[in-house]
Amino acid sequence: MVGNRVRRRAFAIVSFLVLAVTTALLGLWVNAPAAGVIALFAAFSFTISAAAGLCAVYPSEMFPTAVRASGVGLVTALSRIGAAAGTFLLPMAIDTVGVHGTTLMVAGLLTAGLLASIVWAPETKTIALGEAREHVPGQASPSP
């Protein structure tokens, strides 16, 4: 199976790293030539497109079976709230701090995601869905 060749945790971390770096470079490189901007946007676009697939798989693998539907639902709802807030706040941020300042703020959010992934993201590639409970911090393993 092609989809099971990449470690989810590593993929999330590398994706956040590439997205944060490309976004930071776009924010810092004020007088960038068109070719540089296009190259950075291309790297960002390819990475975000690949990482979007992780959003469908990874949350369902993180939660134990008993709470999987609720956990995935909560994660999905929070992502929608974040998307709506970002859509609402983006024009205000551009008016307040400019395009480059807003881009650097986004790079900061991506860096926060990177750090959160490094600290808290579990590796789910090697476990079966029924074993997810054993990998949740603070949860006791089921009795044999």
Side-chain angles (χ1 to χ4, degrees):
M1 176 181 210
V2 174
N4 207 26
R5 292 184 184 169
V6 178
R7 294 190 169 278
R8 273 61 150 168
R9 181 177 190 276
F11 191 55
I13 290 170
V14 170
S15 295
F16 271 116
L17 179 63
V18 172
L19 294 171
V21 168
T22 56
T23 306
L25 288 173
L26 283 166
L28 293 170
W29 200 1
V30 177
N31 295 318
V37 173
I38 290 169
L40 289 170
F41 268 117
F44 182 92
S45 296
F46 287 127
T47 304
I48 199 78
S49 296
L54 194 61
C55 295
V57 176
Y58 200 33
S60 64
E61 293 178 345
M62 284 195 245
F63 295 102
T65 304
V67 296
R68 185 165 296 134
S70 297
V72 172
L74 178 64
V75 168
T76 302
L78 292 173
S79 76
R80 299 306 185 257
I81 292 168
T87 301
F88 177 73
L89 295 173
L90 183 68
M92 293 172 24
I94 291 172
D95 285 345
T96 305
V97 296
V99 172
H100 290 280
T102 302
T103 305
L104 291 173
M105 289 169 44
V106 171
L109 288 172
L110 289 165
T111 301
L114 170 65
L115 296 174
S117 295
I118 290 169
V119 173
W120 292 304
E123 179 53 63
T124 61
K125 178 184 181 261
T126 59
I127 62 170
L129 286 178
E131 298 172 357
R133 180 179 190 84
E134 298 173 19
H135 300 279
V136 177
Q139 293 284 332
S141 297
S143 301

